[in-house]
Amino acid sequence: MSTADTSLIHDLAPIDLGLDASKFPTFRDVQYEALEWAVETLEDANVIGCALPQGAGKSAFAVALARLLGRRAVFVTASKGLESQYMEDFGSGGLVDIRGRANYDCGDLAHLDCHDGPKAGCRYAQFGGCAYESAKAAARNAQLVTTNYAMWLGINRGSGGRGLQRTREDWRGDNPVELLVLDEGHEAYRQLAQFVSCQLLQSDLQRCTGYPVGEDIGEWSAWTENCLPSLDAAIKEAEVEIALLGGAVPKKDIDALHKLEALQTKFEKIASADSGDWIVERDVIARYGLKEQRWKFDSVFPGQYAKDILFCNVPKVVVMSATLKPKSLRYLGLSDEEFAFRAWRRIFPPERNPIYLSGCVKPGSVTEDRPLGTLIRIDRNTSEEDKREYVRWIDEQWIGRRLDRKGLIQTNSYAFQEFFMEHSRHAPLMIGNTDDPDSESAWQAAERFRKAEAPAILVSPSFITGWDFPMKACEYVLVVKAPFDERGSKLAKAREARDKDYGFFRAMQTTEQAAMRGMRRFEDQCEVALTDGHYTWFLRQYGRLAQDWFVKAVRPVRDAPKPPPRLA
């Protein structure tokens, strides 16, 4: 569609663009505005950033945009949950989903998945019929494809940078990707940073000798470069042994091979690291009750890799998120001249989605000079006594007054999640998980919470981005710990040397996302409370890093307001 035709967009209904009319009967005003702006702007711009507010219907906007432009599109998501949501909403209209090999069961060897099967001689992998290869073939030439950041980055990087062109051509198929949509685009930088980085544990290096013990990236690069030939030989030897055993190979043998391959990928990353950009950080961690050394290898500015393995010369790129800022795009290596940006106003009535700023007064802090006392701040220096008082206050002020409904408590760390659940008197009502956002544990916890009758409380740091709990599934969200955990490390300090706002920007993005999980529709309602004492100074000093509407919506309160009537 050309610029001259944009006036016709308002005459279109979702069904005219192939969307399911039962799920998308009409476009919202903000979607019409965004479609018109995007079509016009992409005439000249290669990259656009869209800060579409919660509930705007970003996925429907993105699919409709692809249809309007008539371009082959890939929609990249930050979680498999959001990827599945794309398929649920748009699969009937021709959208195809592609994930990593481990997400598909091997059709030949029932005890293995498609990551393991080819190693053990799966006949389908050799002669056709492999579930993963079939999914990839469907995606190869589909007009609309959804995947996740890990898969997209892995495809475009290839194996350690080798066979890159072959892998990319395999993905592109007969018609190249013409439109790339990065959903939850505020996460694109973190996903990219996580993909290019790696870490080594002391136990990983048992077969290696003479490895450096310090934090000199030059020494590590030289050492890993020297180790790669012997590691490659060990992988080939293991592959031969597994091939001889065929389908009878024990799963542990294949796992050992994958561990060698993962170590090879890490060594390749370190060997090619730019000593002027990469840093090494050593610490000690506890695993299985034992302590061991860990070395973390990170690029200070991972945005330098975005054009090659994230944007990949796709002619048109849309980055979208409710919390997107121009700074988000600069972090991806783009100059202000290389992208266009627009933010839209909040669409939900503030009275149905109030955002409160509250806090627990530290015992004994009320004095003549400080009649309001000092609010408890949750961080590594908070005493056990203050943390217990803080949990007691939340129990009384917020949870205790809302036992007729369900809520989400965003802890922003597993350590504080554990403390909260151990010390809350409402612990029997709480559901938690113990792993990362894409883990089975997180999925199980989310499903248990959705199916639970009120009162029920989901307590976790895992449900910040890409999770929705609409209507009665969640009528209040408490952000009980400000997410400053990234700050203070050697890496964070190096990134803050490039951008003094780095740590605070990341914390603000996380806060906004954490607050948005419960309000998804106009008829919905969800109270939000920022209860960590840190938020008092943080919002005052760094509110400019948030969406304008978010800061304006925050209402300071001393005590928890009376909750509205629960949803029917």
Side-chain angles (χ1 to χ4, degrees):
M1 173 173 281
S2 67
T3 303
D5 298 326
T6 55
S7 61
L8 302 177
I9 289 177
H10 286 262
D11 296 329
L12 295 173
I15 194 172
D16 297 324
L17 297 173
L19 277 65
D20 187 336
S22 65
K23 295 178 179 179
F24 307 99
T26 61
F27 284 124
R28 295 170 178 167
D29 288 343
V30 67
Q31 290 172 318
Y32 278 126
E33 287 180 21
L35 285 169
E36 185 173 299
W37 178 80
V39 170
E40 289 181 353
T41 307
L42 285 170
E43 283 281 316
D44 300 313
N46 294 324
V47 181
I48 63 171
C50 301
L52 287 161
Q54 64 185 124
K58 290 185 291 296
S59 58
F61 153 76
V63 173
L65 179 62
R67 295 288 196 192
L68 277 169
L69 296 175
R71 291 176 174 268
R72 184 183 183 221
V74 173
F75 309 93
V76 185
T77 70
S79 70
K80 294 174 185 174
L82 184 55
E83 189 178 349
S84 297
Q85 187 64 52
Y86 263 90
M87 285 304 298
E88 183 177 330
D89 289 341
F90 308 108
S92 61
L95 182 70
V96 172
D97 173 39
I98 181 66
R99 308 184 183 201
R101 285 182 174 274
N103 293 277
Y104 303 87
D105 293 329
C106 179
D108 186 24
L109 306 171
H111 64 297
L112 302 176
D113 57 37
C114 289
H115 188 213
D116 301 334
K119 303 292 185 184
C122 168
R123 290 169 296 176
Y124 295 150
Q126 297 178 57
F127 306 112
C130 169
Y132 169 74
E133 293 296 339
S134 297
K136 191 169 71 171
R140 188 177 293 126
N141 293 304
Q143 190 68 9
L144 303 176
V145 180
T146 183
T147 190
N148 53 75
Y149 279 96
M151 181 69 178
W152 175 253
L153 292 167
I155 283 172
N156 288 301
R157 182 180 179 197
S159 177
R162 296 186 304 212
L164 187 61
Q165 188 63 31
R166 180 197 62 78
T167 305
R168 285 188 176 173
E169 290 304 321
D170 192 36
W171 168 262
R172 288 172 176 164
D174 296 331
N175 55 326
V177 176
E178 300 167 308
L179 175 67
L180 175 65
V181 178
L182 302 179
D183 203 343
E184 300 294 0
H186 68 282
E187 276 284 286
Y189 173 82
R190 190 186 70 83
Q191 294 280 344
L192 180 63
Q194 183 175 301
F195 182 80
V196 301
S197 69
C198 66
Q199 65 178 29
L200 293 175
L201 300 176
Q202 194 168 6
S203 56
D204 293 332
L205 304 175
Q206 290 177 349
R207 64 169 48 247
C208 310
T209 59
Y211 57 85
V213 296
E215 298 181 340
D216 187 310
I217 185 62
E219 292 181 4
W220 278 100
S221 293
W223 180 79
T224 51
E225 180 70 33
N226 290 333
C227 290
L228 281 170
S230 60
L231 187 55
D232 189 59
I235 289 172
K236 290 177 179 177
E237 181 181 346
E239 287 175 336
V240 170
E241 293 175 357
I242 288 173
L244 291 173
L245 291 172
V249 63
K251 180 71 164 61
K252 64 179 181 63
D253 289 0
I254 297 180
D255 290 341
L257 172 58
H258 288 323
K259 188 173 181 180
L260 285 175
E261 292 172 330
L263 188 61
Q264 181 186 48
T265 298
K266 293 177 181 181
F267 278 18
E268 288 170 339
K269 289 180 181 181
I270 298 167
S272 61
D274 177 359
S275 60
D277 172 69
W278 281 63
I279 63 171
V280 187
E281 195 165 5
R282 181 179 63 177
D283 61 8
V284 176
I285 63 170
R287 296 179 75 237
Y288 311 114
L290 301 175
K291 291 184 177 181
E292 68 171 315
Q293 290 189 85
R294 175 178 64 175
W295 293 268
K296 294 183 288 184
F297 302 82
D298 293 274
S299 166
V300 176
F301 183 57
Q304 65 185 294
Y305 301 100
K307 290 183 180 179
D308 184 38
I309 63 173
L310 182 61
F311 301 141
C312 310
N313 295 315
V314 175
K316 301 296 178 183
V317 179
V318 178
V319 187
M320 62 181 192
S321 167
T323 60
L324 199 72
K325 300 282 280 186
K327 187 185 286 287
S328 309
L329 298 165
R330 297 182 195 120
Y331 280 5
L332 296 177
L334 298 170
S335 66
D336 287 356
E337 294 73 31
E338 292 180 292
F339 66 86
F341 179 86
R342 181 174 171 181
W344 279 262
R345 63 194 179 279
R346 186 187 196 188
I347 63 173
F348 290 139
E351 64 272 14
R352 298 191 67 84
N353 185 210
I355 304 174
Y356 300 115
L357 176 63
S358 186
C360 174
V361 176
K362 183 181 175 70
S365 67
V366 177
T367 65
E368 187 174 334
D369 294 334
R370 285 182 172 270
L372 298 179
T374 302
L375 298 182
I376 292 175
R377 298 176 177 182
I378 303 300
D379 53 44
R380 67 187 67 180
N381 298 316
T382 309
S383 69
E384 292 286 306
E385 180 183 357
D386 282 352
K387 285 193 288 187
R388 285 194 294 270
E389 174 63 18
Y390 180 65
V391 173
R392 184 203 63 76
W393 173 80
I394 291 176
D395 277 349
E396 178 184 307
Q397 287 281 318
W398 293 96
I399 300 175
R401 299 176 182 180
R402 291 159 176 79
L403 292 176
D404 61 341
R405 62 198 69 191
K406 294 160 67 173
L408 168 62
I409 296 180
Q410 302 277 27
T411 61
N412 282 310
S413 81
Y414 284 108
F416 194 60
Q417 173 208 40
E418 182 179 0
F419 183 92
F420 202 102
M421 295 181 73
E422 284 181 357
H423 292 86
S424 172
R425 72 169 183 261
H426 299 298
L429 306 176
M430 294 179 175
I431 297 169
N433 66 296
T434 58
D435 215 330
D436 63 53
D438 263 341
S439 71
E440 185 179 19
S441 176
W443 273 100
Q444 289 176 334
E447 285 306 301
R448 280 201 293 137
F449 176 63
R450 288 189 176 106
K451 294 175 182 177
E453 296 293 328
I457 309 159
L458 181 60
V459 183
S460 176
S462 293
F463 302 100
I464 303 296
T465 292
W467 296 85
D468 294 344
F469 301 99
M471 303 302 289
K472 291 193 290 184
C474 178
E475 294 189 56
Y476 65 91
V477 174
L478 308 180
V479 186
V480 298
K481 183 180 183 298
F484 296 138
D485 293 344
E486 287 189 29
R487 304 195 70 240
S489 68
K490 182 178 177 182
L491 176 63
K493 289 177 180 177
R495 288 177 175 167
E496 286 172 356
R498 289 182 56 93
D499 176 9
K500 61 183 177 58
D501 289 335
Y502 169 78
F504 294 123
F505 181 62
R506 297 291 300 159
M508 188 64 77
Q509 295 260 295
T510 301
T511 296
E512 291 178 281
Q513 286 289 328
M516 295 178 184
R517 296 308 99 205
M519 185 74 183
R520 313 308 299 175
R521 306 171 188 168
F522 281 95
E523 64 272 24
D524 205 345
Q525 72 173 19
C526 185
E527 299 174 280
V528 176
L530 311 177
T531 59
D532 186 345
H534 279 296
Y535 278 118
T536 301
W537 65 265
F538 182 48
L539 290 173
R540 182 176 64 251
Q541 295 182 36
Y542 293 96
R544 58 186 168 78
L545 300 176
Q547 297 298 309
D548 291 344
W549 68 261
F550 184 85
V551 178
K552 292 174 182 176
V554 173
R555 295 163 48 187
V557 294
R558 191 66 178 173
D559 298 312
K562 180 182 178 181
R566 65 169 294 185
L567 291 170

